[in-house]
Amino acid sequence: MQRGRVLEIESPMMSHSGGQDVNIELIAADDLWLASSPEFPLKRAVAAGYGDVYSLQRVFRAGESGRRHNTEFTMLEWYRIGYSLEQLMSEVEALCQSVVEMPPATVKSYRALFLEYTGLDPFVESDHGRLAELGSNASGIGIEQLDVDGWLDVVFSHLIEPNLTAPTFVYNFLPSQAALSRIEVIDGIRTARRFELIWRGVELANGYHELNDEQEQRRRFAVDRARRSERDQPLYPIDDRFLEAVGHLPDCAGVAIGVDRLVMLACNTDTIDDVLLFPDRLS
Amino acid sequence: MLDGDPCSIVENEYVKPGKGQAFNRVKLKNLKTGRVWERTFKSGEQLEGADVMDTDMEYLYNDGEFWHFMEPSTFEQYQADEAAVGDQKYWLKEQEIFTVTLYNGSPLSITPPNHVVLEVAETDPGLKGDTAQGATKPATLVTGATIKVPLFIEVGDMLRIDTRTGEYISRSKD
């Protein structure tokens, strides 16, 4: 980070507000919330003119504990002004290779991977029924139990990810999976400019060409919040200062790396407990 | 309980794409058939618990159809059928203690101790002094099990067997 002239920001561990992401639950600390990532403070710093910034810190996600998950884990997140998604992917690859003996990564779109391993196109609504069937057969989950995004997650994790043993950047997701990335029309298809780096079944990094449209960000928060209410999930206060900052973000790309997982790969283990002195799992 | 059968959880892995839904990929062993199933559940989904209990019991006898066991403290007797006993019948020895898995109160499966001592009923005559490494011959035990034994073993010898692998371990003086 120093060599790349990226400024370290000490981002708070606790906040009055939090993300609205449907699949990330926060941990309460008194009347504050523990950070699930440093994304909002870092973006506020970028919007305020600090330039390229990073944070290396602990983050917290309720209920995420397993072979590759620890409720609190270490995240390295950084933002690059003027970078394209492709430039940021190259930087992520170089950073990983400086720490781990990682072979060169291949770059494949989410759509190409589905076409390659299922013959179906997740961007085409008429294929969604057959994708649900595939997912139901592969997992044993009843066909009525999940929505489209749920089935895509099942198909990806059961039928595609196991094939990605070599490092692979998966990029250009469905608009419904955009999170905080921009949506662009590519070849006539609305595409979320987001990537993930997957290696040996481990999801190592998640990056965006950052959305900098405040109204669109507000709309997405509202959609996520509505889904949360529908499913009786907790609602976290909205960060208005973050929303305001989104509208002032320069053109930039940002990424977060799971540092413990990078260490797992460096140590050739598939269990996060092996690289944590005090893992949260009891057995 | 899964699909109407009692199961034990062999492995339970939490899977969650960073921005996606959390699942548990579970390996379950069907306690009736012994088959291992792989199933995925939405995290937090609940399954009905099975009324399954492991109890140590003494093996009494076989009446041609059922194998009879007794709970030593209550003297209560249970009869296990062919499906419950399966291949474990080859390791059943009277007065030995076995683990009987009860499902809704009746025997579902039997687990023998890791090692049992059983008598040889039939085998080719022993070759004294033949200590050739690894040379074996078949021997049939009083329970009907046929295992590979060293050449010096004779009819009437008591053998210590590993019930998990069905392999000969040693001769026993018991």
PDB file of all heavy atoms in Angstrom, chain A residues 19 132 192 253:
ATOM      1  N   GLY A  19     -24.717  -1.415   7.019  1.00  0.00           N
ATOM      2  CA  GLY A  19     -25.114  -1.791   5.669  1.00  0.00           C
ATOM      3  C   GLY A  19     -26.528  -2.359   5.662  1.00  0.00           C
ATOM      4  O   GLY A  19     -27.050  -2.769   6.702  1.00  0.00           O
ATOM      5  N   ALA A 132     -33.264 -23.154 -11.430  1.00  0.00           N
ATOM      6  CA  ALA A 132     -33.816 -23.544 -10.129  1.00  0.00           C
ATOM      7  C   ALA A 132     -33.890 -25.065 -10.025  1.00  0.00           C
ATOM      8  O   ALA A 132     -33.533 -25.654  -9.001  1.00  0.00           O
ATOM      9  CB  ALA A 132     -35.191 -22.921  -9.929  1.00  0.00           C
ATOM     10  N   ALA A 192     -23.682  -5.811 -13.619  1.00  0.00           N
ATOM     11  CA  ALA A 192     -23.071  -5.210 -12.425  1.00  0.00           C
ATOM     12  C   ALA A 192     -21.565  -5.330 -12.528  1.00  0.00           C
ATOM     13  O   ALA A 192     -21.031  -6.427 -12.685  1.00  0.00           O
ATOM     14  CB  ALA A 192     -23.581  -5.909 -11.175  1.00  0.00           C
ATOM     15  N   ALA A 253     -12.474   2.523  -8.135  1.00  0.00           N
ATOM     16  CA  ALA A 253     -12.755   1.102  -7.931  1.00  0.00           C
ATOM     17  C   ALA A 253     -12.201   0.711  -6.573  1.00  0.00           C
ATOM     18  O   ALA A 253     -11.189   1.252  -6.132  1.00  0.00           O
ATOM     19  CB  ALA A 253     -12.115   0.265  -9.039  1.00  0.00           C
TER      20      ALA A 253
END
